[in-house]
Amino acid sequence: MSPIAAGPSTAPAAVLCGLAGWVPSRVVTNEDLARRLDTDDAWIRTRTGIRRRHVVEPGQATSDLAVEAGRRALVSAATDRVDAVVVATTTPDHTCPATAPAVASRLGLAGVAAFDIGAVCTGFVYGLASAAGLIAAGVAERVLLIGADTYSTIVDPLDRANAIIFGDGAGAVVLRAGHPDEPGAVGHFDLGSDGAHEDLIMVAAGGSRQRSGPGEPSRQDRHFAMRGKEVYRHAVTRTAESARATLSRAGWKTDDVDHFVPHQANLRILHSVADDLGLPRERCVTHVESVGNTGAASIPLALADAAAGQVIRPGDRLLLTAFGGGLTWGSCLLTWPELPAPGHPYDLHDPHDPDDYDPYDPYDPYDQGERTTS
């Protein structure tokens, strides 16, 4: 039997039509950390590029950040309805159930499909691929994708290696069904994993492996652990390989990329990957200095920050790439669409409420207001 010739794909593409970010109001500076850890501001900035990070207040959970970022993304997309809510997170509110259904309910979206994605820091890119699949399959016309993490709840506050790196936050996008050639269409994905190295980034306790074993977990096993030097090597290699594979599939050259938007792990990794790809460092979108590593939230937060500052503009060609525990990695491409200018993720007042004014200037390192921890 002769094979049936495949015609042009008629499946709709996922097109980005809304964007927002949100971080909690509590700010922890390098100086704050130096008061309890054997470190100082210069040591932290030299190794990570981070100056401060935002962390949740006691009792605040990942869903609280996800709901606020999601609400703002829906406003950005000028819609109050989607067909699915996807939450990428490593720090769900509960081991069971997933966080996404509760987020959907609190956003007035009860009844829609809702599920979590657990790919650690690659979660947002995996989420984009999942949302694109829902739209291509005709399951959903619109999807709200949220990357949200509260790493301060799983990192040991006395662990100098990790406490300096991570912050909390949420970023969200709305994706709608559209044409693959229009601005905002997300495509040409590359996703991968290597579970043989799962122990490089891990919270050992809390899952079925630990719970089915004898005895109680140690304090160390209850907290996030990462073998930094090995992670650095894998992150640079895997991310660069994934980025190259994605560019090749699209027929793009490195020079075609206007902005490189990597997972905001730390500044050294970001610059190393850019150098490996032959991309000028000034094309690398970064905001890790202001929020730290926010896990699955880092790419949408970086996009919201860059869009608010008009660093990225309509028509710019973007390469997104991430690496996380699992190990997992992934990349994708898009041409930036025309969107309403989002507020800066650090701008903690509601732009739709004129009575809610916050004079905080995120670019003034001395303006910490009343939110700096003591």
Side-chain angles (χ1 to χ4, degrees):
M1 181 180 295
S2 300
I4 298 174
S9 173
T10 58
V15 178
L16 193 151
C17 64
L19 169 70
W22 179 253
V23 292
S25 60
R26 183 182 174 201
V27 176
V28 176
T29 66
N30 291 346
E31 289 80 6
D32 294 325
L33 292 176
R35 295 188 185 107
R36 71 167 186 262
L37 300 172
D38 180 19
T39 188
D40 57 42
D41 173 64
W43 190 89
I44 296 172
R45 283 189 291 107
T46 299
R47 285 157 180 78
T48 69
I50 299 168
R51 292 190 291 118
R52 58 174 173 256
R53 68 287 298 146
H54 293 248
V55 300
V56 294
E57 298 286 355
Q60 202 171 23
T62 294
S63 65
D64 299 321
L65 307 188
V67 166
E68 186 58 32
R71 181 183 71 82
R72 293 182 173 221
L74 291 170
V75 170
S76 171
T79 186
D80 60 0
R81 296 300 304 172
V82 296
D83 305 300
V85 174
V86 180
V87 175
T89 186
T90 304
T91 57
D93 286 10
H94 310 284
T95 303
C96 175
T99 299
V103 171
S105 178
R106 290 171 61 185
L107 288 170
L109 300 169
V112 306
F115 59 92
D116 290 1
I117 287 181
V120 195
C121 295
T122 317
F124 184 75
V125 177
Y126 269 55
L128 284 174
S130 298
L134 291 173
I135 290 172
V139 175
E141 287 284 328
R142 290 179 183 266
V143 177
L144 173 61
L145 168 62
I146 306 169
D149 270 312
T150 51
Y151 270 84
S152 67
T153 63
I154 61 172
V155 169
D156 185 344
L158 301 180
D159 178 1
R160 185 178 75 154
N162 291 311
I164 65 172
I165 296 172
F166 292 94
D168 304 336
V173 296
V174 176
L175 301 153
R176 61 165 175 83
H179 194 275
D181 293 331
E182 67 177 296
V186 181
H188 297 289
F189 285 93
D190 175 78
L191 304 176
S193 72
D194 183 358
H197 297 288
E198 66 174 357
D199 60 328
L200 296 186
I201 301 172
M202 177 178 283
V203 178
S208 62
R209 178 70 63 192
Q210 173 266 310
R211 288 173 180 267
S212 67
E216 290 297 315
S218 66
R219 171 186 171 86
Q220 180 179 1
D221 285 347
R222 292 178 185 272
H223 289 101
F224 177 92
M226 179 169 63
R227 284 155 51 186
K229 289 183 179 180
E230 293 175 73
V231 168
Y232 179 92
R233 176 173 56 84
H234 279 282
V236 173
T237 301
R238 301 291 198 179
T239 302
E241 289 175 348
S242 179
R244 287 193 184 93
T246 306
L247 292 171
S248 177
R249 288 171 188 171
W252 287 19
K253 295 182 172 59
T254 302
D255 289 344
D256 294 326
V257 176
D258 295 308
H259 300 289
F260 174 49
V261 189
H263 161 58
Q264 308 286 297
N266 69 56
L267 202 58
R268 293 174 64 197
I269 290 178
L270 272 59
H271 285 167
S272 292
V273 175
D275 293 346
D276 195 317
L277 292 172
L279 277 166
R281 290 185 178 183
E282 57 267 23
R283 294 190 200 175
C284 185
V285 172
T286 66
H287 75 145
V288 68
E289 65 278 358
S290 297
V291 295
N293 181 339
T294 54
S298 74
I299 287 180
L301 277 173
L303 290 172
D305 182 60
Q310 296 188 325
V311 174
I312 54 177
R313 299 174 181 271
D316 286 350
R317 293 159 297 188
L318 275 59
L319 166 62
L320 279 55
T321 188
F323 175 88
L327 299 174
T328 59
W329 56 86
S331 303
C332 67
L333 303 172
L334 78 154
T335 299
W336 196 248
E338 186 81 45
L339 292 176
H344 277 287
Y346 328 100
D347 185 5
L348 301 176
H349 76 284
D350 187 337
H352 306 287
D353 182 356
D355 295 324
D356 184 8
Y357 175 68
D358 183 349
Y360 169 54
D361 179 0
Y363 296 105
D364 180 354
Y366 300 102
D367 181 3
Q368 298 299 324
E370 298 178 356
R371 290 192 288 276
T372 303
T373 58
S374 59

